[in-house]
Amino acid sequence: SKYYSVEVSTLFSEGEGHQLEGPLKGLKVLDWTIWQFGPVSTSMMGDMGADVIKIESLDGDPSRGLARASNMTMDLGEGRVAYFETCNRNKRSIAINLKTKEGLEIVYALIKEADVFVQNFRAGVAERLGLGYDDVYAINPQIIYGSANGYGPDGPDADQPSFDGSGQARSGLMMSATQLDQDYPTVVTQGVSDQMGGIMLCQGILAALVGRSIRGVGQKVETSHLSANMWLQGLGVSMSLLQGGSGFSPYDRRNPKNPLVNVYKTRDSRFIMMMHLQPDDYWSPLMEAMGLPELATSSKYSSMALRAEYGNEIVNFMDRKFAEKTAEEWDEAFRLFPTDFIYSIVQSVQDLPYDPQVTENNYIVDFEHPVLGNVQMCNHPNIYSETPAGIWKEAPEVGQDTESILIEDLKYSWDDIGKLQDLGVIL
């Protein structure tokens, strides 16, 4: 392949010391984060080759103790937790008691040499422990300080706690995913609010790093569940504002304004999502391909405006027709037709490892985990032609790298380490 990110398991996952030559190689990131929102942002930086040091309490990130997420048990055996493994790959771990003077001195020493510091604690926690932005800036004015929270740094709820579902609820995401006539709003699964927050925090930190390279100044970057998930829906939010607050209507499959943007059920109880945003160009050829020539030539349905008026009627025709063939048969029929139709078979997450586009582009890769053996993981989303990104290290055990970081990075002696352990500063 022409891409460096292809066989990640072969090229980059041979254990510590085989860090990627990624676009962030040479960057040092201090990751004082827990759960998903913050850890995802730093894990993405690790994917891109940054040296990420995860700063944990002596009992570790609380997500290490997560027993269940929805229907999935988290225990992978050997003390490994699926949630933590996913959010914390490509990192080293140092476990420190930050309530001790000696523990803070260790972090301050790391800050002096770091490029990025990230935390996602409630407002006031970092400041009380001496790790707020002003504290970190005083040690290293060039540092980029990333901060993640629920609802933004200002306002009446700035200090309120937040988890994924809270972000979905407050930002409007739950209602955006809710269909007409549902009794309750839809909670989108898989921590999407946290994931989006982590992506946006990573983007903000990278932008600040570019700014530092141009202007020579460090700064604080703040991202929240609320802001990130509003931006996820930014098209709808801004279009609504431009039209005086008239938001998107709930999805109504039975009465669509455009029947060619709709989901249909096939004979084998699978679904096909049609996505023709310029339906006048596709109406006649699609009806021909589906064996509905009477709809293609009918003046009753000849324009988008008319089809919007008779949306329910058209859906009934198309529902009956889609039910005559399997999803694969429809896929073949559409591909053989001269027109390039815009659609996709609806897949589940469990389908993705078998999707040829996923495998050909290495969106899921094999990784040789030193404890779990050969596993598969979702790969870094971007492909870089010259600086590969991917998975090169498993998530660390609590404090797995404490001694090596103290000795190699900070030049502590073994005597120093013994004293710190006796004082309860490190494990």
Side-chain angles (χ1 to χ4, degrees), residues 16 61 66 104 122 179 222 342 398:
E16 241 176 299
D61 182 329
L66 187 66
L104 272 179
R122 289 176 64 181
Q179 296 185 24
E222 298 182 277
I342 307 170
V398 182

mmCIF file of all heavy atoms in Angstrom, residues 16 61 66 104 122 179 222 342 398:
data_model
loop_
_atom_site.group_PDB
_atom_site.id
_atom_site.type_symbol
_atom_site.label_atom_id
_atom_site.label_comp_id
_atom_site.label_asym_id
_atom_site.label_seq_id
_atom_site.Cartn_x
_atom_site.Cartn_y
_atom_site.Cartn_z
ATOM 1 N N GLU A 16 6.967 -1.195 23.614
ATOM 2 C CA GLU A 16 7.594 0.080 23.936
ATOM 3 C C GLU A 16 8.928 0.226 23.213
ATOM 4 O O GLU A 16 9.660 -0.737 23.017
ATOM 5 C CB GLU A 16 7.829 0.156 25.448
ATOM 6 C CG GLU A 16 7.079 1.311 26.069
ATOM 7 C CD GLU A 16 7.243 1.315 27.564
ATOM 8 O OE1 GLU A 16 6.833 0.345 28.185
ATOM 9 O OE2 GLU A 16 7.772 2.293 28.088
ATOM 10 N N ASP A 61 -7.097 5.806 37.414
ATOM 11 C CA ASP A 61 -8.266 6.377 36.754
ATOM 12 C C ASP A 61 -9.493 5.561 37.165
ATOM 13 O O ASP A 61 -9.487 4.331 37.062
ATOM 14 C CB ASP A 61 -8.032 6.292 35.233
ATOM 15 C CG ASP A 61 -9.137 6.900 34.384
ATOM 16 O OD1 ASP A 61 -10.303 6.884 34.794
ATOM 17 O OD2 ASP A 61 -8.830 7.370 33.272
ATOM 18 N N LEU A 66 -14.616 0.211 35.916
ATOM 19 C CA LEU A 66 -15.925 0.097 35.276
ATOM 20 C C LEU A 66 -16.243 -1.373 34.992
ATOM 21 O O LEU A 66 -15.466 -2.064 34.346
ATOM 22 C CB LEU A 66 -15.943 0.896 33.967
ATOM 23 C CG LEU A 66 -17.287 1.025 33.263
ATOM 24 C CD1 LEU A 66 -18.255 1.854 34.097
ATOM 25 C CD2 LEU A 66 -17.111 1.658 31.885
ATOM 26 N N LEU A 104 3.584 16.748 43.940
ATOM 27 C CA LEU A 104 3.438 17.933 43.090
ATOM 28 C C LEU A 104 4.761 18.329 42.458
ATOM 29 O O LEU A 104 4.804 18.768 41.300
ATOM 30 C CB LEU A 104 2.892 19.097 43.908
ATOM 31 C CG LEU A 104 1.365 19.222 44.003
ATOM 32 C CD1 LEU A 104 0.985 20.413 44.863
ATOM 33 C CD2 LEU A 104 0.735 19.347 42.619
ATOM 34 N N ARG A 122 -13.742 18.861 37.438
ATOM 35 C CA ARG A 122 -14.696 19.945 37.676
ATOM 36 C C ARG A 122 -13.962 21.233 38.028
ATOM 37 O O ARG A 122 -12.851 21.216 38.553
ATOM 38 C CB ARG A 122 -15.643 19.574 38.815
ATOM 39 C CG ARG A 122 -16.638 18.502 38.468
ATOM 40 C CD ARG A 122 -17.473 18.119 39.666
ATOM 41 N NE ARG A 122 -18.300 19.223 40.142
ATOM 42 C CZ ARG A 122 -19.110 19.149 41.191
ATOM 43 N NH1 ARG A 122 -19.182 18.010 41.896
ATOM 44 N NH2 ARG A 122 -19.842 20.180 41.550
ATOM 45 N N GLN A 179 -37.232 10.416 17.064
ATOM 46 C CA GLN A 179 -38.180 10.413 15.965
ATOM 47 C C GLN A 179 -39.555 10.895 16.429
ATOM 48 O O GLN A 179 -39.850 11.001 17.617
ATOM 49 C CB GLN A 179 -38.291 9.011 15.361
ATOM 50 C CG GLN A 179 -36.995 8.526 14.740
ATOM 51 C CD GLN A 179 -37.148 7.192 14.045
ATOM 52 O OE1 GLN A 179 -38.238 6.808 13.636
ATOM 53 N NE2 GLN A 179 -36.043 6.474 13.901
ATOM 54 N N GLU A 222 -10.209 25.519 26.099
ATOM 55 C CA GLU A 222 -11.315 24.957 26.875
ATOM 56 C C GLU A 222 -12.413 24.437 25.959
ATOM 57 O O GLU A 222 -12.870 25.131 25.050
ATOM 58 C CB GLU A 222 -11.879 26.020 27.816
ATOM 59 C CG GLU A 222 -10.841 26.496 28.827
ATOM 60 C CD GLU A 222 -11.394 27.509 29.811
ATOM 61 O OE1 GLU A 222 -11.437 28.696 29.455
ATOM 62 O OE2 GLU A 222 -11.772 27.110 30.917
ATOM 63 N N ILE A 342 -27.066 7.265 -4.725
ATOM 64 C CA ILE A 342 -26.431 7.612 -3.448
ATOM 65 C C ILE A 342 -27.229 6.954 -2.336
ATOM 66 O O ILE A 342 -28.350 7.365 -2.011
ATOM 67 C CB ILE A 342 -26.384 9.140 -3.266
ATOM 68 C CG1 ILE A 342 -25.738 9.800 -4.490
ATOM 69 C CG2 ILE A 342 -25.607 9.497 -1.992
ATOM 70 C CD1 ILE A 342 -25.856 11.306 -4.500
ATOM 71 N N VAL A 398 -1.732 0.663 36.073
ATOM 72 C CA VAL A 398 -1.578 1.803 36.977
ATOM 73 C C VAL A 398 -0.111 1.966 37.367
ATOM 74 O O VAL A 398 0.504 1.038 37.909
ATOM 75 C CB VAL A 398 -2.414 1.633 38.268
ATOM 76 C CG1 VAL A 398 -2.259 2.865 39.160
ATOM 77 C CG2 VAL A 398 -3.875 1.418 37.954
#
